[in-house]
């Protein structure tokens, strides 16, 4: 039996087994391309292919670069005023050089990641004041796990290694994501109680998940920068197993790759939130 005959036979079998569904959807088997992958054809005839990730998660699949060269063309302050070089300590880059260069061998990655910050519900304020252990336990209670640093980075950068997970990926814009905010009357460094008035004012700066529609990476993951910093699993374990990615409402880096290493897994503050990941089986 040649390939053409085998393909037609398979399609006829599908036509018989799925005739009711086919009639409902007006499928014309004579017009199907017999060279098409039969697995795809079978799903087209009978049902949609099974979802790889839950509907509140995003599938990430591609080649990730562990080591990149990113060059900032102009550093700025929190009000977007230019800073003379080298002033990279501000962490705020107005424009990155395009393109970014990969300095290492890429590796393939395939996983699911929450579409929004925890509790991963569009329209809800993300959870703050979470320790790394709180985040880890919350993810595991849902059959998920914390993102690794590389997974979080790849979800933000996309396949083209964009320094920023929004817009064109190369220009900083606080009008797109929730960062570089100013607040008066609160000494942030003295806010140590989540129930204090200062903490409530800081929480008031957070915006509902998904409300800033353009604050989304190339993969379709929302609010990766701004709002709350996000706990991740630091694969190196140095100096801690914990790390924070994305930046928060007051800004500084708010980029795809930098990580705050200063806080151990028991730390929590107005800035600490997270999102979960999930293996693909």
């Amino acid at each position: 039996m040649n390939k053409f005959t085998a393909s037609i036979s398979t399609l006829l079998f599908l036509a018989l087994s799925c005739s009711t569904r086919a009639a409902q959807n007006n499928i014309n088997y004579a017009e199907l391309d017999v060279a098409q992958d039969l697995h795809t054809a079978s799903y087209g005839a009978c049902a949609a292919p099974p979802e790889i990730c839950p509907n509140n998660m995003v599938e990430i699949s591609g080649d990730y670069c562990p080591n990149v060269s990113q060059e900032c063309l102009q550093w700025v302050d929190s009000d977007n005023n230019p800073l003379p070089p080298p002033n990279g300590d501000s962490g705020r880059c107005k424009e990155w050089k395009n393109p970014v260069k990969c300095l290492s061998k890429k590796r393939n990655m395939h996983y699911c990641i929450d579409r929004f910050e925890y509790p991963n519900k569009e329209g809800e304020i993300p959870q703050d004041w979470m320790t790394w252990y709180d985040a880890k336990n919350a993810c595991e209670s849902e059959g998920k796990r914390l993102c690794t640093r590389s997974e979080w980075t790849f979800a933000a950068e996309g396949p083209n290694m964009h320094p920023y997970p929004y817009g064109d990926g190369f220009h900083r814009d606080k009008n797109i994501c929730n960062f570089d905010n100013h607040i008066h009357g609160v000494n942030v460094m003295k806010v140590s109680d989540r129930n204090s008035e200062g903490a409530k004012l800081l929480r008031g700066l957070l915006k509902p998940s998904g409300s800033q529609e353009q604050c989304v990476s190339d993969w379709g993951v929302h609010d990766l920068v701004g709002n709350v910093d996000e706990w991740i699993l630091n694969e190196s374990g140095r100096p801690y197993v914990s790390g924070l990615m994305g930046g928060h409402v007051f800004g500084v880096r708010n980029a795809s790759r930098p990580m705050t290493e200063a806080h151990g897994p028991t730390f929590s503050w107005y800035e600490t939130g997270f999102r979960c990941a999930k293996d693909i089986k």
Side-chain angles (χ1 to χ4, degrees):
M1 182 181 295
N2 61 34
K3 181 177 180 180
F4 180 84
T5 305
S7 300
I8 292 298
S9 298
T10 302
L11 290 172
L12 287 174
F13 172 78
L14 290 171
L16 291 173
S17 62
C18 307
S19 58
T20 302
R21 185 64 178 271
Q24 293 172 347
N25 293 298
N26 297 316
I27 295 174
N28 185 346
Y29 288 98
E31 294 179 356
L32 286 175
D33 181 1
V34 295
Q36 181 183 6
D37 177 80
L38 293 179
H39 178 72
T40 303
S42 68
Y43 276 125
C46 298
E51 292 290 337
I52 292 177
C53 297
N55 60 12
N56 62 343
M57 301 188 83
V58 175
E59 180 186 1
I60 308 294
S61 180
D63 294 324
Y64 166 71
C65 180
N67 187 17
V68 301
S69 173
Q70 297 177 341
E71 179 183 347
C72 181
L73 301 178
Q74 176 66 69
W75 297 104
V76 293
D77 63 17
S78 61
D79 292 313
N80 206 38
N81 297 314
L83 293 173
N87 283 302
D89 288 342
S90 76
R92 299 174 172 91
C93 182
K94 181 177 182 179
E95 180 181 1
W96 295 95
K97 185 177 180 180
N98 183 5
V100 172
K101 294 181 180 179
C102 181
L103 303 178
S104 61
K105 182 178 180 180
K106 292 185 178 183
R107 57 186 173 90
N108 187 261
M109 301 181 71
H110 194 194
Y111 57 97
C112 304
I113 190 170
D114 283 351
R115 191 176 303 276
F116 305 105
E117 293 166 318
Y118 186 84
N120 192 26
K121 294 179 180 178
E122 187 173 8
E124 290 199 13
I125 297 294
Q127 183 63 53
D128 52 2
W129 289 90
M130 301 292 280
T131 69
W132 183 87
Y133 291 116
D134 292 334
K136 179 177 181 292
N137 291 336
C139 288
E140 291 175 355
S141 72
E142 297 182 359
K144 303 176 185 178
R145 56 175 175 76
L146 273 179
C147 309
T148 65
R149 179 182 185 179
S150 56
E151 286 172 338
W152 195 100
T153 299
F154 195 33
E157 286 185 336
N160 296 314
M161 302 174 289
H162 286 159
Y164 289 136
Y166 59 86
D168 66 4
F170 293 94
H171 294 84
R172 186 179 182 92
D173 190 343
K174 66 180 183 180
N175 295 313
I176 293 180
C177 299
N178 187 26
F179 54 80
D180 285 349
N181 290 276
H182 297 281
I183 188 170
H184 302 285
V186 176
N187 185 336
V188 175
M189 302 306 295
K190 291 186 177 181
V191 176
S192 58
D193 181 353
R194 70 170 65 194
N195 296 314
S196 67
E197 288 303 313
K200 293 176 182 177
L201 287 171
L202 292 171
R203 185 166 177 78
L205 294 177
L206 301 179
K207 295 187 177 180
S209 293
S211 62
Q212 294 183 282
E213 297 179 356
Q214 297 181 64
C215 189
V216 57
S217 76
D218 289 346
W219 296 114
V221 185
H222 289 256
D223 307 319
L224 284 157
V225 296
N227 257 2
V228 291
D229 250 340
E230 299 184 22
W231 285 117
I232 53 84
L233 172 65
N234 180 11
E235 295 110 316
S236 74
R238 298 188 301 270
Y240 303 106
V241 69
S242 55
L244 287 165
M245 305 285 288
H248 49 83
V249 291
F250 285 117
V252 190
R253 60 198 187 283
N254 299 108
S256 301
R257 192 163 284 252
M259 179 181 76
T260 295
E261 302 175 339
H263 303 304
T266 60
F267 174 81
S268 70
W269 209 13
Y270 72 91
E271 67 193 85
T272 53
F274 66 100
R275 75 181 70 219
C276 306
K278 188 178 181 69
D279 293 327
I280 291 177
K281 298 180 180 180

